[in-house]
Amino acid sequence: MSLIPRRSFLSRLSLASAAVAAGGFTFPVQAGRDQFVEVEIAPGRLRGVRHEGVNIFRGIPYGGKVSGNRRFRRPGPVEPWAGVRSSVFGAPAMQPPRQNEPAPAEDCLFLNIWTPANDNRKRPVMFYNHGGGFVIGSGASQSQDGSNLARNFDVVVVQTNHRLGLFGFLYLDEIAGEEYAGSGNMGMLDIVAGLKWVHDNIAQFGGDPENVMIFGESGGGAKTSCLYAMPSAASYFNKASIESGPGVRMTPKEVAAETTAMLLRTLNIAPADWRKLLDIPAADLLAVQNRLPFVPPFIDKDNPKKKPTPGAGGFGPVVDGKVLPGHPFDPTAPSISKNKPLLVGWNEDEYNFFIWQRKEVDLLKMDFEGLKKKLEPFHGADTAKMIATYRKTMPDASAPDIFVAISSIAMMGLGSIDIAEKKANQHGAPVYLYNFGYKSEKKILDTDYPMGTPHAMDISFKFNNEVPPKDPSQPSESFFGGSRPERFIASHHFAELWTTFARTGKPAAADVPEWPAYNLEDRPTMRIDTRCEVIDNRFAEELAMWKSIGKV
């Protein structure tokens, strides 16, 4: 399905996400002007911060110990605390250090809440799964701060930290016994524990436990795809959004077992002595993880009959037949979520993110002969047909433009459309397909090539964090979104569509056309921008080409 091998793409994605995450974009709380608000939950009393009309509770423990004898197992219980617990971010999962956050730690099961008020009003709950593949990230970065969604759209936003990498996805079921059942999906089960906590407690934070939307971008989209197919999560949410991270297939348990064997060989541990893993310091295990292939071999699908290609390495959700009974959207959409509405889509210029992150600026200088040479190693005899199709549908495009268009739809678009088609085929709850298309004028590094709509730019837009500065005389520029004030309109559209979907199960916004559910006749797609529009059968010729060469 991909222009480049899926493993290579996810390596780029994880490393790129690491580059963004390492920047440490977090919102400081101006404590001098803030008030405090307190709430009682079972383990003890919490103190939150009321800041500009939003109650913020950070670092709430939703699970207990996952280190020591709890490593690779279900969490221990949350330990009660005396006094009042203050609102500070909890430790992120084991990963390289993150600026403006506590040091990463094994015991990382904390969540953050943004709510307009603790008043039992039963607002819709938007439960976000952070990106970063399955190896980095947390619920505390600036672009996904939930304050503006809570303040401007009257919703409750929740985000978790959860186990990542080998601490969350090392498959031990076949060698460690029943006590470690589900070990290959502990990171996902942590998120389920967070959802259960929300179900049990969110009413005290002004949220409705019976109206919960799960959503996530990039790796968070893949996590959301898994949750959509997991029986243990089913009773805790009733709608979902998968953004620039279509998790159609996950790691087969046979491949996960090979990865576990590779890790044990690297550590010179016999399978029968696997318990030695419990005694190795977490920092040492992280160092070993970084020497192995970075991400799991997500399964490409060149044609419907092709079997998954085996290969070890990387850590992510495992299709173990129990926690994750099957691939999330292969061969069909999961029946367990047939009656749950779904949003799915991608950004128009996803690949520009990777050009920026990897400094691949030479790609922006290629001519059409260079484009052919770039594509041929991956597509062979199909390359000429691919280029001809895109030159026809994009007659004014340069060779780099076409390369970005092909790469972007191959990485995120084909899987998103696959999910939409399979969901529509269920004839259950509706699915809505989108493209995000607001164009940032910012240039990629030292070039004249604009960012456009790169991977990850949608995060700050859908969280409504592209807003005018409080002081109009001050310049305003976002990390990817640029400085044009038109972006504030696009951000409001995006956020209103998502929060309305959270509230009602149907995305809608003022000054936006009615968004019809996806179907296999008209194939409507909402293009989100300063002016939103519904486009029927978008990319029809391109998709016909992809299908003709067996990529979908």
Side-chain angles (χ1 to χ4, degrees):
M1 176 179 289
S2 300
L3 170 67
I4 58 177
R6 184 69 166 164
R7 179 195 298 269
S8 177
F9 160 60
L10 288 172
S11 296
R12 296 181 183 201
L13 174 58
S14 297
L15 290 168
S17 300
V20 174
F25 306 111
T26 55
F27 279 130
V29 174
Q30 301 178 30
R33 299 184 304 176
D34 293 333
Q35 300 173 323
F36 296 109
V37 58
E38 295 187 358
V39 63
E40 186 84 29
I41 59 174
R45 195 159 187 83
L46 295 169
R47 175 177 294 150
V49 176
R50 184 160 184 82
H51 181 67
E52 297 184 350
V54 177
N55 294 348
I56 305 170
F57 295 85
R58 294 170 292 186
I60 303 173
Y62 69 88
K65 180 180 177 183
V66 289
S67 61
N69 63 2
R70 288 282 179 174
R71 182 181 283 174
F72 312 128
R73 294 173 55 201
R74 297 290 183 100
V78 175
E79 295 292 335
W81 58 84
V84 181
R85 187 181 181 95
S86 298
S87 178
V88 294
F89 285 125
M94 289 299 298
Q95 60 189 289
R98 299 173 60 84
Q99 292 184 20
N100 300 329
E101 294 189 39
E106 270 197 88
D107 292 319
C108 61
L109 304 190
F110 304 98
L111 58 79
N112 311 311
I113 299 174
W114 295 260
T115 179
N118 293 65
D119 57 6
N120 297 305
R121 278 190 54 187
K122 292 192 174 181
R123 296 171 178 85
V125 179
M126 300 182 71
F127 185 103
Y128 188 69
N129 300 304
H130 70 70
F134 300 105
V135 291
I136 62 166
S138 82
S141 75
Q142 178 180 3
S143 61
Q144 66 196 42
D145 181 278
S147 297
N148 285 339
L149 279 186
R151 179 186 304 110
N152 298 335
F153 299 95
D154 198 36
V155 298
V156 178
V157 180
V158 181
Q159 299 180 28
T160 67
N161 295 350
H162 42 268
R163 279 176 284 183
L164 301 169
L166 67 83
F167 299 94
F169 300 101
L170 181 65
Y171 180 66
L172 296 170
D173 291 35
E174 296 175 8
I175 62 175
E178 186 61 28
E179 191 177 12
Y180 290 83
S183 56
N185 288 301
M186 283 297 142
M188 293 306 308
L189 289 170
D190 290 346
I191 300 175
V192 174
L195 283 166
K196 183 181 186 301
W197 188 97
V198 165
H199 183 269
D200 295 343
N201 295 279
I202 206 64
Q204 296 184 71
F205 296 83
D208 183 355
E210 303 304 324
N211 190 13
V212 177
M213 169 187 171
I214 57 172
F215 67 129
E217 183 271 348
S218 193
K223 294 168 191 173
T224 303
S225 302
C226 291
L227 292 168
Y228 203 70
M230 289 172 58
S232 58
S235 61
Y236 300 129
F237 73 95
N238 47 30
K239 56 186 74 71
S241 176
I242 299 167
E243 304 141 10
S244 294
V248 177
R249 289 165 290 278
M250 293 293 141
T251 305
K253 62 182 180 181
E254 296 80 8
V255 176
E258 292 179 31
T259 301
T260 301
M262 178 192 296
L263 175 70
L264 293 174
R265 288 195 300 271
T266 301
L267 293 167
N268 197 28
I269 296 174
D273 296 329
W274 67 269
R275 283 188 177 274
K276 291 181 178 180
L277 292 171
L278 305 180
D279 299 323
I280 298 174
D284 293 346
L285 281 180
L286 182 63
V288 173
Q289 174 184 305
N290 292 338
R291 297 203 304 267
L292 299 178
F294 205 58
V295 295
F298 279 39
I299 309 304
D300 285 329
K301 192 174 186 183
D302 291 335
N303 61 66
K305 297 181 180 179
K306 183 177 179 181
K307 294 181 179 180
T309 302
F315 299 95
V318 179
V319 182
D320 59 5
K322 296 176 182 178
V323 176
L324 188 59
H327 293 293
F329 287 91
D330 185 31
T332 63
S335 59
I336 196 170
S337 290
K338 179 179 179 179
N339 296 319
K340 296 180 180 181
L342 179 66
L343 284 168
V344 62
W346 76 100
N347 299 351
E348 289 179 348
D349 308 307
E350 298 270 3
Y351 198 81
N352 282 343
F353 178 98
F354 304 97
I355 294 174
W356 163 79
Q357 189 273 330
R358 293 174 61 87
K359 299 180 173 60
E360 293 179 331
V361 294
D362 286 346
L363 294 176
L364 303 178
K365 304 172 185 176
M366 72 170 68
D367 57 16
F368 283 100
E369 183 60 30
L371 176 63
K372 179 183 176 183
K373 291 179 181 178
K374 184 69 176 177
L375 297 178
E376 278 184 334
F378 305 106
H379 297 285
D382 295 323
T383 300
K385 184 174 184 179
M386 184 177 294
I387 294 174
T389 298
Y390 277 83
R391 294 197 73 171
K392 178 182 176 184
T393 60
M394 302 171 60
D396 299 325
S398 66
D401 292 340
I402 289 177
F403 178 78
V404 169
I406 290 172
S407 304
S408 298
I409 197 170
M411 286 180 168
M412 299 298 182
L414 299 182
S416 298
I417 293 168
D418 189 19
I419 287 174
E421 290 183 348
K422 288 171 177 174
K423 179 67 178 173
N425 265 326
Q426 278 189 315
H427 304 291
V431 57
Y432 301 90
L433 183 67
Y434 77 90
N435 296 140
F436 179 45
Y438 175 82
K439 301 303 178 189
S440 171
E441 82 286 2
K442 288 190 74 171
K443 301 300 190 290
I444 299 177
L445 301 174
D446 298 322
T447 75
D448 292 326
Y449 200 86
M451 275 285 187
T453 317
H455 186 71
M457 193 177 91
D458 56 306
I459 301 173
S460 62
F461 280 73
K462 66 174 165 263
F463 275 92
N464 199 213
N465 289 331
E466 302 287 347
V467 292
K470 293 183 177 65
D471 182 353
S473 67
Q474 295 298 312
S476 172
E477 182 176 72
S478 70
F479 191 74
F480 283 138
S483 58
R484 292 189 294 116
E486 292 89 340
R487 75 186 192 276
F488 307 144
I489 300 172
S491 179
H492 193 279
H493 287 333
F494 210 148
E496 187 175 0
L497 288 166
W498 258 236
T499 53
T500 304
F501 179 73
R503 182 168 280 107
T504 69
K506 179 177 173 60
D511 302 320
V512 171
E514 182 178 357
W515 187 346
Y518 191 80
N519 63 78
L520 301 182
E521 295 180 1
D522 300 326
R523 300 179 183 273
T525 301
M526 176 64 80
R527 184 179 186 274
I528 301 171
D529 201 337
T530 53
R531 184 179 71 85
C532 299
E533 60 179 325
V534 175
I535 305 173
D536 286 343
N537 208 16
R538 193 173 195 202
F539 305 121
E541 290 189 60
E542 293 93 329
L543 289 172
M545 179 276 299
W546 286 107
K547 289 179 180 179
S548 74
I549 63 175
K551 298 298 183 180
V552 289

